[in-house]
Amino acid sequence: MFAKEVYIARRATLVGKMGENVPQGSRGIALFIGNAESPAQYWDNAYKFRQDSSWLYYFGLDIPCYAAVIDLDTAEETVFADDVEIGDIIWMGPQPSVASLAAGVGVLHTAPSGELGNVVARAISQGRPVHYLPPSRWYNTLKISDLTGIPVAQVKEKSSDSLTRAVISMRLVKEQCEIEQIDDACALGYEMHTVARNNVKVGRIEQEVVGIMEGVTLSKGWGVSFATILTQHGETLHNHLHDKVIEDGKLMVIDAGAENNMHYASDFTRTLPTGGRFTTMQKDIYRIVCNANELAFSLTRPGITYREVHLATARLMLEQLRDLDLVRGDVDEMVSLGIAGLFQPHGLGHNMGLDVHDMEDLGENLVGYDSNQIRSAQLGLGSLRMARKLVPGNVVTDEPGIYFIPALIDKWKAEGTDRGFVNYAKLEAYRDFGGIRLEDDVLVTEDGARRTGPYRLPILPEDVEEAMGNALS
């Protein structure tokens, strides 16, 4: 956990935000539900516990079955949980009291779990608003429904818009203590990717590499920040199958991140030549993606929207794909029509922090878009998760990619979606190419940006080949 003063200040800021333009006495209560353990097959065999991220942000207690209420009129805070009994102590050993744990994060009042229902019921009977965040887990949904009487199917839609927006506004801008944790997670991510790169060998099963790299995160952190993508079929953007034998001459996309013990995330992607050297065709496309990654980083700074950065990288990609005669015509018109979506059907990046896709449980558009922005319907641009005007403290991913997806190519050709800009005859040679994605994590600073973590994974094609050659020697 951070020092208790961090959590005290965060909750005080939240109370202040929730009190803006709301008269004293009518602000209500904010209800926070921490996660419970989730059974894998039966109650005593649970999945590895992961606490709710907003709970961690405001209360820091990484323990199942905790809840809290903040009275937004009086600023009184109460943590609800039960002290262990002898049956628990037999299996778990003696545990700190709920009161001592709550005091460690600056909360002075505690009560048994059974009292939570009475507090919520009292607020409802008094006509006071009960604010809660949209839950992402079924347990939390059922718990909120039970406490408030809201039908299960309506719990998410009746969540508090004002509380959600207040939390997003705070968590979008990372504090120095958070930046240090993200740097730490990125150092661990660097190590796991280095181990993976050193173990990409022709003839090996992909799963072996995944096991080795994920072992790094478990030996020094909480584990992976999301399900690892390691595949020779990078044209499938989220390919989690790891059953293929590594073949010579392929491209291995490795999109993987670490979660450190404070639950902050990293998220890197590198694309490697399985035999240690790129072919000429692979290197031509790789350089375009690498150039797009560098351009995006150079443009990232306070005041620019990440939508503008996405479009600038799309333009560069189309210019350089035109140099290879894969597209033809006016680049500005192609950008306007969304032709880049054929080659990059995803957005440039997303927010990152306590979640690898930070806060998307609270609503992707609320998190990633300013109030004056409208999400595009175009393939690619429409999948941009972070479009906001950047401010210092934002942490975003920079992950351009180029993919040759046969089914998508065939669909566009049949339907004329490309408006005549795509050279399908030239594309035939790329049908079994796969895909390339290159991703770094970036902190927006006062005067620009910096990549997070103490190191940067090799990214220039020559540096990648040299690193792989050293591993092979």
Side-chain angles (χ1 to χ4, degrees):
M1 292 190 301
F2 296 121
K4 69 178 180 181
E5 289 77 15
V6 171
Y7 302 104
I8 292 170
R10 288 173 177 175
R11 295 192 299 267
T13 299
L14 180 65
V15 170
K17 285 179 174 287
M18 292 297 290
E20 293 173 359
N21 304 316
V22 181
Q24 184 79 23
S26 58
R27 296 168 186 170
I29 64 172
L31 170 64
F32 289 87
I33 305 293
N35 285 341
E37 291 190 296
S38 180
Q41 291 90 19
Y42 51 92
W43 184 254
D44 288 331
N45 185 26
Y47 291 104
K48 187 178 181 181
F49 177 69
R50 175 53 158 88
Q51 185 59 283
D52 175 78
S53 292
S54 289
W55 171 270
L56 284 174
Y57 185 82
Y58 290 104
F59 294 94
L61 299 172
D62 200 5
I63 308 167
C65 298
Y66 270 55
V69 166
I70 301 175
D71 190 309
L72 299 173
D73 289 303
T74 66
E76 181 178 299
E77 306 163 340
T78 306
V79 164
F80 297 84
D82 299 318
D83 287 318
V84 296
E85 299 177 347
I86 188 62
D88 302 306
I89 293 172
I90 291 170
W91 294 98
M92 301 164 57
Q95 301 294 311
S97 68
V98 172
S100 66
L101 290 168
V105 294
V107 178
L108 301 180
H109 300 98
T110 63
S113 296
E115 287 298 310
L116 178 59
N118 296 332
V119 170
V120 175
R122 188 179 309 118
I124 292 172
S125 70
Q126 294 171 346
R128 303 183 71 200
V130 177
H131 301 273
Y132 62 86
L133 298 172
S136 60
R137 290 200 180 186
W138 191 238
Y139 164 85
N140 305 61
T141 303
L142 293 174
K143 186 74 173 176
I144 292 169
S145 175
D146 181 60
L147 290 168
T148 63
I150 297 170
V152 168
Q154 298 177 25
V155 166
K156 195 161 194 173
E157 68 181 77
K158 290 185 178 294
S159 60
S160 171
D161 182 71
S162 57
L163 179 62
T164 300
R165 291 178 184 274
V167 169
I168 289 171
S169 70
M170 293 179 65
R171 287 183 58 191
L172 271 174
V173 179
K174 305 299 185 285
E175 301 161 282
Q176 181 58 36
C177 60
E178 294 184 279
I179 293 167
E180 291 168 2
Q181 292 300 319
I182 292 170
D183 281 335
D184 178 68
C186 287
L188 187 52
Y190 178 96
E191 187 173 343
M192 72 185 287
H193 272 265
T194 300
V195 167
R197 185 185 67 237
N198 292 344
N199 281 278
V200 171
K201 315 283 187 185
V202 173
R204 178 167 280 175
I205 303 294
E206 293 169 343
Q207 185 177 350
E208 296 177 48
V209 184
V210 173
I212 294 167
M213 71 186 297
E214 291 191 355
V216 172
T217 69
L218 290 170
S219 68
K220 297 184 178 182
W222 183 87
V224 295
S225 54
F226 59 97
T228 296
I229 299 165
L230 185 147
T231 178
Q232 296 163 92
H233 287 279
E235 75 278 7
T236 303
L237 303 186
H238 282 179
N239 193 336
H240 299 294
L241 297 175
H242 308 130
D243 59 346
K244 303 295 187 297
V245 176
I246 298 176
E247 302 176 36
D248 192 19
K250 295 283 190 178
L251 291 169
M252 178 74 79
V253 174
I254 305 178
D255 185 344
E259 184 171 321
N260 77 351
N261 287 321
M262 285 284 286
H263 297 297
Y264 284 85
S266 66
D267 183 5
F268 297 138
T269 306
R270 288 297 185 265
T271 302
L272 309 175
T274 53
R277 298 191 68 82
F278 294 102
T279 67
T280 300
M281 178 184 284
Q282 290 170 347
K283 190 174 288 188
D284 286 342
I285 301 299
Y286 187 98
R287 285 194 188 279
I288 297 174
V289 180
C290 189
N291 292 341
N293 175 281
E294 293 291 340
L295 176 64
F297 177 71
S298 71
L299 293 174
T300 299
R301 62 183 183 274
I304 194 172
T305 69
Y306 216 49
R307 184 181 190 276
E308 292 174 279
V309 180
H310 172 104
L311 290 172
T313 61
R315 191 182 200 287
L316 180 143
M317 282 184 186
L318 290 168
E319 286 176 343
Q320 298 188 1
L321 288 169
R322 186 177 63 178
D323 292 341
L324 295 177
D325 198 30
L326 292 173
V327 295
R328 297 171 174 175
D330 182 77
V331 171
D332 288 334
E333 192 175 356
M334 283 192 276
V335 171
S336 176
L337 292 171
I339 303 303
L342 175 62
F343 303 97
Q344 182 185 280
H346 63 74
L348 178 64
H350 50 79
N351 290 291
M352 198 184 74
L354 276 166
D355 304 315
V356 69
H357 283 196
D358 208 27
M359 296 179 287
E360 287 184 9
D361 57 319
L362 304 183
E364 192 175 303
N365 286 346
L366 285 177
V367 172
Y369 286 76
D370 292 308
S371 59
N372 62 346
Q373 291 177 320
I374 298 174
R375 194 161 189 156
S376 171
Q378 289 179 351
L379 182 64
L381 181 57
S383 295
L384 180 60
R385 299 175 184 271
M386 172 55 169
R388 282 178 177 268
K389 180 180 287 188
L390 299 176
V391 300
N394 290 156
V395 176
V396 297
T397 60
D398 168 9
E399 51 179 309
I402 291 178
Y403 316 86
F404 297 92
I405 306 169
L408 182 60
I409 292 169
D410 292 343
K411 178 179 171 63
W412 274 43
K413 182 178 181 181
E415 297 177 359
T417 308
D418 67 294
R419 311 282 186 91
F421 287 103
V422 175
N423 184 355
Y424 291 105
K426 192 70 176 284
L427 269 184
E428 281 298 310
Y430 292 81
R431 289 184 72 87
D432 62 351
F433 182 95
I436 293 172
R437 181 162 64 253
L438 299 171
E439 177 181 17
D440 295 315
D441 304 330
V442 177
L443 167 69
V444 182
T445 62
E446 293 291 338
D447 57 357
R450 73 163 174 86
R451 297 183 178 95
T452 53
Y455 318 105
R456 189 185 186 198
L457 290 162
I459 193 167
L460 294 174
E462 297 79 12
D463 293 341
V464 171
E465 290 177 340
E466 180 180 2
M468 295 192 75
N470 290 337
L472 290 169
S473 60

